[in-house]
Amino acid sequence: MSIFDFAAGTDPAAAEAGAICSRKACRAQASWQLLWNNPKIHSPERRKTWLACADHREWLEDYLQTRGLWKETLPLDDSRASGGTGQDS
């Protein structure tokens, strides 16, 4: 644990427990993965992953779609996604 964990509001125990929703300040268990990329800086085949709980899936999807970044949404346990289940920003 570092001082940055406290500043960011990260609960190390929750992070170790499983995949956490990517929505700011949400600590809920994620059940969806939103695959996206920024065509201005990523190659077309690259996929970044945000995780979403049931309550924030729609909000995060809309955020990415509005900016032209969203590619697809898959259940978290779907192995077709590349890039794992980490939280990318």
Side-chain angles (χ1 to χ4, degrees), residues 14-22 27-32 51-52 76 85-87:
E16 291 175 5
I20 305 297
C21 180
S22 297
R27 305 286 21 123
Q29 181 71 27
S31 53
W32 295 96
L51 302 178
L76 184 56
T85 58
Q87 297 178 11

Side-chain angles (χ1 to χ4, degrees), residues 13-76:
E16 291 175 5
I20 305 297
C21 180
S22 297
R23 177 75 165 107
K24 186 176 182 177
C26 182
R27 305 286 21 123
Q29 181 71 27
S31 53
W32 295 96
Q33 51 187 338
L34 286 74
L35 305 180
W36 63 279
N37 83 353
N38 184 339
K40 292 181 181 179
I41 60 174
H42 300 133
S43 60
E45 66 280 352
R46 172 123 188 239
R47 292 294 180 265
K48 305 273 286 179
T49 304
W50 277 358
L51 302 178
C53 65
D55 291 339
H56 292 120
R57 173 189 172 187
E58 196 172 306
W59 190 95
L60 289 167
E61 210 171 79
D62 182 62
Y63 180 92
L64 292 169
Q65 287 177 345
T66 299
R67 289 154 181 80
L69 306 176
W70 179 84
K71 296 301 178 190
E72 67 179 319
T73 299
L74 301 170
L76 184 56

